[in-house]
């Protein structure tokens, strides 16, 4: 088919034809039923585009963006806990990749520990999302203190910018998987940030995050929460398929 | 869009006013996410790309040329990020195939009409160049000239790609019975 009639049809759809061209198109359409059919289909296509509604972004997207680029503010209260600005470029971009990688693991619905699932290998998915400063003891709202042979350290909860934040600072003497179960109806995993440069990744599968530890690691995990009173996160510490310890962290959401 | 006001916001950002950037994020979060989603067809990848696009915009604000509209500039960043993401997918096709069919948030499942889903499937079936012009023209309401500026290609090429893309989508959607 000659290109000219098609160009006129597309131009008509885009509102980009002159009165003269419109007349020209009308004459062509009158003379060619096939062209009328093509025009009808293209018009329906254009109408279909208009019917597709824009999607709402994930609820936590804006917080993620602003957390990653937050400008310097007074370090009072929780605001000072968030990443300082400007941050090293590599760290922030690395973080975005890391977050994407974590999301990829989410997408694969990988879950459980020691199941031997090929997809559980998250090598290469590690990275740093952002650096942050701890709020200090005054910002803590609840904590677990661990002092076992295989691992020691603390898991502390904080609130800030609408997020529930777990500050995890643990050292293990051998590979230990931390499995944290949460109520996905009340909390949604939103990302993580490291305070050190160790290679790590956080795996999330809707109601559970898993982090494989070896040696000292310090990082934070972010959740969005809908709960009004308190939430609980149950931690299990697993090594070689054996559960070493289990403890629940209760996080009051109202001060 | 009030471009004067927007330019003022950008100037404030360049001087370190974080609140001004928050306003820009609030204004463009949804369109940028939707650009990314229509390019990628994946809700979570789109969120990641939107985040990186804003981070890059923030970091490169000093290089923003106010002769261009801010949305053209940030759309361009988002499109480039989405294309990078698609290229990463190509390098890991098996992973990609494993993840695409199932990953929908409950919110999206509710909102995703059949039309949206069928349209997205058809979009993902056409080459990236064609998908890009469709997304900018029909989902972002950009003019030929704006698309030309965003993609740095001649208007003639924009039209050519757009016409071909529509033809391809028309054929694919006709096969599904949508048209």
């Amino acid at each position: 088919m000659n290109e000219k009639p098609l160009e006129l049809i597309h131009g008509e759809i885009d509102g980009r034809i002159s009165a003269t061209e419109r007349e020209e198109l009308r004459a062509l359409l009158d003379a060619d039923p096939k062209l009328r059919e093509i025009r009808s289909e293209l018009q329906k296509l254009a109408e279909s585009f208009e019917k597709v509604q824009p999607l709402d972004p994930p609820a936590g997207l804006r917080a993620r963006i602003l957390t990653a680029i937050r400008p310097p503010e007074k370090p009072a209260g929780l605001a000072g806990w968030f990443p300082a600005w400007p941050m090293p470029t590599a760290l922030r971009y690395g973080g975005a990749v890391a977050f994407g990688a974590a999301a990829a693991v989410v997408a694969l619905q990988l879950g459980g520990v020691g199941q031997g699932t090929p997809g559980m290998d998250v090598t290469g998915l590690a990275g740093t999302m952002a650096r942050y400063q701890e709020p200090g003891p005054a910002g803590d709202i609840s904590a677990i203190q661990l002092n076992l042979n295989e691992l020691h350290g603390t898991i502390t909860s904080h609130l800030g910018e609408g997020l529930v934040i777990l500050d995890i600072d643990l050292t293990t003497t051998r590979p230990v998987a931390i499995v944290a179960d949460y109520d996905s109806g009340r909390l949604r995993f939103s990302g993580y940030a490291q305070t050190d440069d160790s290679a790590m990744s956080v795996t999330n599968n809707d109601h559970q995050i898993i982090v494989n530890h070896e040696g000292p690691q310090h990082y934070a995990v972010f959740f969005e929460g809908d709960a009004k009173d308190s939430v609980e996160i149950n931690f299990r510490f697993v090594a070689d398929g054996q559960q070493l310890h289990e403890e629940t962290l209760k996080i009051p959401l109202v001060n | 869009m009030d471009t004067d006001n927007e330019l003022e916001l950008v100037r404030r950002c360049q001087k370190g006013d974080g609140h001004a950037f928050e306003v820009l994020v609030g204004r463009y979060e949804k369109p940028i996410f939707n650009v990314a989603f229509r390019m990628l067809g994946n809700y979570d990848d789109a969120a990641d790309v939107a985040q990186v696009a804003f981070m890059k915009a923030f970091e490169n604000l000093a290089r923003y040329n106010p002769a261009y509209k801010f949305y053209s500039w940030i759309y361009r960043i988002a499109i480039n990020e989405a294309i990078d993401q698609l290229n990463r997918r190509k390098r890991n096709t098996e992973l990609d195939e494993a993840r695409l069919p199932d990953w929908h948030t409950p919110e999206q499942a509710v909102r995703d009409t059949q039309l949206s889903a069928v349209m997205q499937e058809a979009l993902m079936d056409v080459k990236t160049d064609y998908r890009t012009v469709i997304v900018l023209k029909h989902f972002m309401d950009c003019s030929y000239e704006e698309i030309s500026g965003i993609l740095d290609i001649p208007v003639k090429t924009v039209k050519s790609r757009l016409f071909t893309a529509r033809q391809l989508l028309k054929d694919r959607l006709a096969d599904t019975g949508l048209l």
Side-chain angles (χ1 to χ4, degrees):
Chain A
M1 178 176 285
N2 189 336
E3 289 297 309
K4 178 67 177 174
L6 288 176
E7 280 184 28
L8 289 173
I9 290 172
H10 285 287
E12 182 190 37
I13 287 170
D14 293 331
R16 299 287 292 249
I17 58 171
S18 65
T20 309
E21 287 172 323
R22 193 175 298 280
E23 285 304 312
E24 187 183 350
L25 176 60
R26 184 173 299 168
L28 288 165
L29 291 168
D30 286 345
D32 187 347
K34 178 67 182 167
L35 194 62
R36 287 200 294 276
E37 187 185 332
I38 291 171
R39 180 200 191 211
S40 170
E41 288 174 342
L42 286 170
Q43 284 178 330
K44 282 182 189 167
L45 176 68
E47 287 163 12
S48 299
F49 287 129
E50 288 174 15
K51 288 178 191 165
V52 175
Q53 294 298 310
L55 295 172
D56 288 328
L61 179 59
R62 194 176 306 184
R64 272 170 57 182
I65 294 165
L66 295 175
T67 298
I69 60 175
R70 183 159 297 279
E73 290 177 358
K74 291 175 186 174
L78 290 165
W81 194 87
F82 282 87
W85 173 73
M87 290 180 290
T89 305
L91 286 179
R92 281 189 276 144
Y93 290 173
V97 171
F99 192 92
V105 178
V106 175
L108 283 167
Q109 298 289 300
L110 301 176
V113 173
Q115 297 174 350
T117 312
M120 279 298 289
D121 180 7
V122 292
T123 306
L125 299 185
T128 301
M129 183 174 176
R131 287 197 180 278
Y132 68 97
Q133 294 171 328
E134 293 170 78
D140 299 353
I141 56 173
S142 59
I144 292 174
Q145 180 75 44
L146 294 156
N147 196 11
L148 308 174
N149 289 335
E150 295 87 351
L151 79 159
H152 64 270
T154 56
I155 300 176
T156 313
S157 67
H158 310 285
L159 300 178
E161 302 281 333
L163 297 171
V164 175
I165 305 148
L166 295 181
D167 184 316
I168 301 177
D169 187 3
L170 293 175
T171 299
T172 65
T173 56
R174 61 174 170 144
V176 174
I178 298 181
V179 184
D181 293 296
Y182 59 93
D183 181 349
S184 58
R186 308 181 81 196
L187 289 175
R188 289 182 302 281
F189 174 70
S190 184
Y192 68 94
Q194 281 183 255
T195 60
D196 57 28
D197 295 327
S198 61
M200 65 164 289
S201 64
V202 175
T203 303
N204 176 68
N205 62 358
D206 184 42
H207 66 285
Q208 183 181 74
I209 60 169
I210 302 168
V211 186
N212 292 308
H213 267 258
E214 187 162 14
Q217 284 181 316
H218 189 184
Y219 54 97
V221 179
F222 304 90
F223 293 92
E224 296 165 52
D226 291 332
K228 302 291 182 218
D229 43 11
S230 66
V231 291
E232 290 185 351
I233 300 178
N234 186 64
F235 291 90
R236 287 174 288 140
F237 305 90
V238 182
D240 296 331
Q242 300 293 316
Q243 183 170 306
L244 305 174
H245 185 66
E246 181 172 10
E247 194 158 344
T248 299
L249 180 65
K250 185 171 183 179
I251 306 169
L253 299 181
V254 179
N255 290 323
Chain B
M1 196 66 70
D2 181 351
T3 50
D4 288 342
N5 172 263
E6 204 151 85
L7 187 55
E8 178 56 28
L9 285 171
V10 173
R11 285 187 178 132
R12 282 168 49 197
C13 289
Q14 288 169 333
K15 290 175 184 171
D17 180 346
H19 177 68
F21 197 76
E22 281 188 39
V23 175
L24 289 173
V25 172
R27 191 171 288 181
Y28 286 107
E29 177 193 20
K30 189 167 181 174
I32 291 297
F33 172 78
N34 275 273
V35 164
F37 178 77
R38 293 298 164 193
M39 288 297 294
L40 297 164
N42 181 285
Y43 198 77
D44 292 282
D45 284 353
D48 290 338
V49 162
Q51 179 176 345
V52 174
F54 277 109
M55 288 160 67
K56 285 197 169 179
F58 182 72
E59 184 157 85
N60 289 286
L61 272 173
R63 291 158 59 182
Y64 165 68
N65 181 350
Y68 297 93
K69 289 173 181 164
F70 180 77
Y71 72 81
S72 295
W73 185 65
I74 197 162
Y75 281 5
R76 182 175 187 159
I77 294 171
I79 291 280
N80 286 340
E81 281 305 314
I83 290 170
D84 284 351
Q85 174 72 5
L86 288 168
N87 289 335
R88 284 193 289 273
R89 267 191 200 169
K90 278 184 193 165
R91 290 196 292 270
N92 202 348
T93 307
E94 287 180 14
L95 175 67
D96 188 39
E97 286 173 352
R99 69 189 295 195
L100 273 177
D102 299 327
W103 184 239
H104 284 77
T105 65
E107 293 86 354
Q108 187 196 351
V110 171
R111 292 181 58 89
D112 223 354
T113 62
Q114 186 189 1
L115 173 66
S116 177
V118 172
M119 182 67 78
Q120 191 60 40
E121 198 170 321
L123 271 175
M124 298 310 293
D125 247 5
V126 299
K127 281 172 54 181
T128 308
D129 284 350
Y130 296 140
R131 194 185 316 147
T132 305
V133 290
I134 289 286
V135 168
L136 290 172
K137 177 73 186 126
H138 288 290
F139 293 94
M140 296 297 122
D141 283 329
C142 294
S143 67
Y144 297 158
E145 290 74 17
E146 287 168 336
I147 298 171
S148 165
I150 291 167
L151 301 180
D152 198 19
I153 56 176
V155 169
K156 190 177 173 185
T157 308
V158 172
K159 289 163 74 172
S160 162
R161 286 185 190 174
L162 190 57
F163 299 172
T164 304
R166 283 183 185 143
Q167 195 64 36
L168 291 169
L169 285 171
K170 176 178 80 66
D171 293 344
R172 278 165 174 73
L173 291 172
D175 289 344
T176 68
L178 193 71
L179 296 182

